[in-house]
Amino acid sequence: MDDKDMGTDLKSVLITEEEINAKLAELAAAIDEEYAGKDLLIIGVLKGAVMVMADLARALSTPVTMDWMAVSSYGAGTQSSGVVRILKDLDTDIKGKHVLIVEDIIDSGLTLSWLLSNLGSREPASLNVCTLLRKPEAAKVAIDVKWVGFDIPNEFVVGYGLDYAERYRNLRFVGTLAPHVYGG
Ligand SMILES: O=P(O)(O)OC[C@H]1O[C@H](OP(=O)(O)OP(=O)(O)O)[C@H](O)[C@@H]1O
Ligand SMILES: [Mg+2]
């Protein structure tokens, strides 16, 4: 899906498909360097991180194994509920493994701080985070994020995995929504 298919729902394109691909290549090179000679397990946080996982994994030279966790702190709207729920846990035991959490966005930082403490308690050999997007609010929270693709303004964004009420995940780019879509 690209911007021609968006009608009037989209306010602007924030990050193009080309910019996303270039950034993922850069992040993959840094990750390859960090994990050279090590076994790496990448964990995608469903559903938003599906696109980043698929494209980042293919940009890496390091062989990886992949697992998925589903947690949710957002309901149908644009505000975090403040409560993190596990919808699907990992299939694998991460004890003694080098683990990289892959996220699409860190917004309030709530999901990630919860994930870091939950996965950290399972005794991985190492635990790092790579996110495509980060909003200003999260930069204020004391969470250690090793790789960030883009620091973006505090606007609700959709596309490339990110949804509003489960829609727009299959946009090839990241865009902002027109306020009329969410009653703004
Ligand atoms: O930093 P935070 O304020 O916690 O927000 C970030 C989280 O919110 C979104 O997930 P969501 O709960 O909407 O689930 P989804 O990936 O299935 O859309 C996003 O994919 C992150 O996981
Ligand atoms: Mg969501």
Side-chain angles (χ1 to χ4, degrees):
M1 214 180 153
D2 58 33
D3 52 357
K4 309 187 289 302
D5 306 315
M6 280 294 295
T8 57
D9 286 356
L10 190 70
K11 190 171 93 184
S12 65
V13 175
L14 195 63
I15 308 169
T16 64
E17 182 179 5
E18 292 72 26
E19 288 167 334
I20 292 171
N21 291 340
K23 185 61 78 177
L24 289 180
E26 230 177 80
L27 292 171
I31 293 167
D32 278 334
E33 195 178 326
E34 175 78 19
Y35 294 100
K38 293 179 179 154
D39 288 328
L40 176 62
L41 169 67
I42 56 175
I43 294 178
V45 186
L46 292 167
K47 302 169 209 167
V50 164
M51 308 297 178
V52 196
M53 274 287 271
D55 289 340
L56 179 70
R58 285 178 292 182
L60 289 169
S61 305
T62 308
V64 295
T65 51
M66 298 164 87
D67 203 344
W68 302 90
M69 189 147 176
V71 297
S72 193
S73 59
Y74 284 74
T78 58
Q79 288 292 312
S80 169
S81 68
V83 179
V84 178
R85 290 181 300 141
I86 294 194
L87 305 177
K88 182 216 168 285
D89 208 340
L90 299 173
D91 294 333
T92 41
D93 181 3
I94 62 170
K95 188 168 179 175
K97 294 187 182 159
H98 294 287
V99 172
L100 177 64
I101 301 173
V102 176
E103 263 288 22
D104 50 340
I105 191 165
I106 307 174
D107 188 331
S108 66
L110 186 86
T111 305
L112 189 64
S113 18
W114 184 90
L115 265 174
L116 281 170
S117 93
N118 184 289
L119 297 183
S121 71
R122 305 185 196 190
E123 300 175 46
S126 67
L127 183 58
N128 281 315
V129 180
C130 176
T131 184
L132 182 69
L133 309 173
R134 180 174 63 181
K135 288 198 195 173
E137 203 58 26
K140 294 185 212 150
V141 184
I143 38 179
D144 193 15
V145 182
K146 197 163 176 98
W147 294 288
V148 178
F150 301 93
D151 277 299
I152 61 166
N154 197 15
E155 264 192 277
F156 199 79
V157 289
V158 292
Y160 200 69
L162 291 142
D163 72 305
Y164 172 67
E166 296 300 327
R167 296 181 62 207
Y168 312 108
R169 293 194 198 271
N170 65 323
L171 292 175
R172 291 174 172 274
F173 56 90
V174 174
T176 53
L177 278 185
H180 73 81
V181 178
Y182 54 93

